[in-house]
Amino acid sequence: MNDVWDSITSTQPAPSLRVLIGTGVVALLLIAWRPIWRYTRQVVTIAHEGAHGLVAALAGRKLAGIRLHSDTSGVTVSRGKPTGAGMIAVLLAGYPGPALFGLAAAFVLGQGYAVALLWGLLLALVVLLLQIRNLFGLWSVVVFGAVVFAVSWWGSADVQSAFAYLLTWFLLLAAPRAVIELQHSRRGGGGRSSDADQLRRLTGVPALVWVAFFGLITLVCLGLGVLWSGVLPSQ
């Protein structure tokens, strides 16, 4: 345990440019290849619903539970005033959530704390697990957490660093695709209960504007994440 704590509180050397680019390419394949995206998208859903839950708690709403479904959809239920700034903030958090988590991870990695990032993620998953209210959601979080724990506990420093970058790239790159899928769903007649459409009903601002806002946030996070990752020079 002393060795684990030392690795958490110590910085790790930055990986090579080859590793940075390689993990980015792998993350892109996990997103672009449709047969596997059906499964890896669940990580985006976990981050999406986790963002809803985090903002609900920060806004003073009572979190009643989170459900994750096999079709990669999810729902976060919180109790409180159904209108107003708190509810709007909760709805705003979902689609930008994975990108913002990815950007925060890129910042932590830029400081050299790859191992601390993995253990912090594991702690967040444990907290999230306490809010899961269905069997599939429980299974999804446990499997993802088991992978993160295995890498954190048994992986070498190089493996831990590469895995941390892979997760970061995945969140940054997957977030814009989730927004595109949202708009495709809306154009096909679905998504009437989507975050964007609920925001339209609460604010009067067209849902398409909210979709564009989600997309802008995810692209800004991606750009900053690339800069902070070290792939491009910061100056």
Side-chain angles (χ1 to χ4, degrees), residues 3 31 34 87 91 102 109 117 150 162 174 207 226:
D3 291 340
I31 297 163
R34 186 176 296 274
M87 190 62 204
L91 292 170
L109 290 177
L117 173 64
V226 170

Side-chain angles (χ1 to χ4, degrees), residues 107-122:
F107 176 79
V108 173
L109 290 177
Q111 307 305 307
Y113 291 99
V115 176
L117 173 64
L118 294 179
W119 283 101
L121 172 59
L122 193 62

